Amino acid sequence: MASPSRARTAVVPALRGRTVVVTRPAGTAGAFARQVRAAGGVPLRLPGLALRAPDDPAVARRDLRAALRADLLVFTSPAAVRHAAALCPLRTRAAVYAVGEGTARALRRHGLRVRSPATRQDSEGLLELLPPAALRGRAAALVGAAGGRGLLRERLAAHAASLREAHVYRRVTARLDRRHLDPLARLPRGARVLLSSAEALDNLRRVLPDALWRRLCAATAVASSARLAAAARAAGFARVAVAASARPADLLAAAAR
């Protein structure tokens, strides 16, 4: 049993019963939801994306093997690592880079040495590690999914000697059902909506009924970047907070404010 002095100094969960909407992809949000609960919040899963295996695994495997022979190799997400490893062993002599620390941890579990941004966990942060001079004369490869912002693709293509892409998974619109929609109809105004993907935000805006979209926008959006904060305001959120990064700890810290 804890002593009275220990009980008085215990850390009170930061979220204090606040509802937190988790928009991360279906099938990957479980760990995030557990962190919300550990911080004293109530998670509501509302996936804006679902992740799927590539349409043609043989083509994806061929492209991945070619990418692993590049001089410089960039993985865009933990999902890219997971789906790539399902296609073939991740053995390479390339200099390996990850967009964020979560991606870097996933790569290290496969025995790879990885560089990732120390602070900003996005494409811009990674490009600070890869100025044009670092790309010149090198064969680069990008491992991820088709689509997305295209910033990494554009910069690598512009400055590297060559660029290969391996699309090892697909992003599709998540299928929402009553498990997602019924709680959303009762969403309190004090809720926080965690946003780390403009594509997920666009999908939710497109598939949610108007009444539920308005209910969502009445809450406070917590965006992982200033760019995403601007997208949230344009989509209809009147109250937007900007987290220090896309790291779960930073998103939850902003949600607790």
Side-chain angles (χ1 to χ4, degrees):
M1 180 175 176
S3 69
S5 61
R6 285 178 65 97
R8 283 195 300 271
T9 59
V11 176
V12 178
L15 293 172
R16 299 174 183 270
R18 177 173 288 163
T19 299
V20 177
V21 181
V22 179
T23 62
R24 290 201 170 184
T28 68
F32 209 150
R34 288 191 292 274
Q35 291 184 56
V36 171
R37 290 191 192 94
V42 179
L44 192 165
R45 298 191 197 188
L46 188 69
L49 291 166
L51 309 182
R52 299 285 184 265
D55 282 324
D56 192 330
V59 170
R61 185 177 297 107
R62 179 201 66 198
D63 292 344
L64 176 60
R65 286 173 172 161
L68 291 168
R69 295 193 293 269
D71 300 319
L72 185 151
L73 186 58
V74 176
F75 284 80
T76 60
S77 67
V81 180
R82 184 172 69 255
H83 284 273
L87 292 169
C88 72
L90 301 184
R91 292 193 290 265
T92 181
R93 295 182 179 179
V96 180
Y97 291 80
V99 169
E101 183 55 34
T103 308
R105 285 196 301 270
L107 287 163
R108 291 184 187 113
R109 287 195 288 269
H110 290 276
L112 296 175
R113 298 180 63 182
V114 189
R115 292 190 67 191
S116 65
T119 52
R120 187 167 180 174
Q121 305 283 294
D122 58 12
S123 297
E124 287 84 353
L126 179 62
L127 287 170
E128 291 178 4
L129 298 178
L130 291 171
L135 296 170
R136 199 167 295 123
R138 304 177 77 183
L142 188 61
V143 181
R149 291 177 61 199
L151 178 61
L152 281 175
R153 184 180 304 110
E154 175 187 326
R155 297 288 181 85
L156 292 173
H159 299 293
S162 63
L163 174 64
R164 288 185 178 273
E165 291 190 62
H167 297 153
V168 296
Y169 72 103
R170 296 176 293 130
R171 291 188 296 264
V172 300
T173 303
R175 181 177 298 176
L176 303 180
D177 57 31
R178 297 185 69 89
R179 294 171 301 165
H180 308 101
L181 302 182
D182 288 352
L184 183 58
R186 303 185 295 272
L187 188 71
R189 287 182 60 85
R192 300 293 190 263
V193 182
L194 306 186
L195 299 173
S196 53
S197 165
E199 186 176 359
L201 175 66
D202 290 343
N203 286 345
L204 290 172
R205 185 180 187 182
R206 179 169 50 83
V207 302
L208 285 175
D210 287 345
L212 293 184
W213 177 252
R214 290 194 297 271
R215 189 84 178 195
L216 188 69
C217 288
T220 298
V222 177
S224 62
S225 67
R227 173 187 60 84
L228 196 52
R233 293 187 187 97
F237 283 92
R239 294 176 293 163
V240 181
V242 183
S245 78
R247 292 187 181 104
D250 288 335
L251 287 167
L252 292 180
R257 295 200 291 263

